[in-house]
Amino acid sequence: MKYYEGASQEYQAMVNVLQGYERGNKNQIEKSEEQFDLADTTFQEFGEMMRK
């Protein structure tokens, strides 16, 4: 489940960053950076689960 959760977070971050650039919305771009960080954390948790 963690893998799919991370993938969906990363996809949403990509959509937000593209929309942010299209609209010139810096807040949306910053929010997408936070979402990328969250996705990275989720993928790291997935990797740790797989190693166990």
Side-chain angles (χ1 to χ4, degrees):
M1 255 343 238
K2 283 285 185 188
Y3 177 82
Y4 295 110
E5 185 180 332
S8 70
Q9 290 166 344
E10 193 169 71
Y11 177 77
Q12 187 61 47
M14 286 187 278
V15 169
N16 281 342
V17 77
L18 291 173
Q19 287 177 345
Y21 279 115
E22 284 177 353
R23 298 174 184 164
N25 186 341
K26 290 183 181 184
N27 289 333
Q28 192 169 8
I29 295 167
E30 290 173 5
K31 182 174 173 71
S32 69
E33 291 172 1
E34 293 172 11
Q35 285 177 310
F36 277 122
D37 291 340
L38 182 59
D40 285 344
T41 301
T42 304
F43 280 128
Q44 288 175 1
E45 291 171 0
F46 171 74
E48 289 173 11
M49 285 177 23
M50 294 304 292
R51 285 186 210 104
K52 291 182 180 180

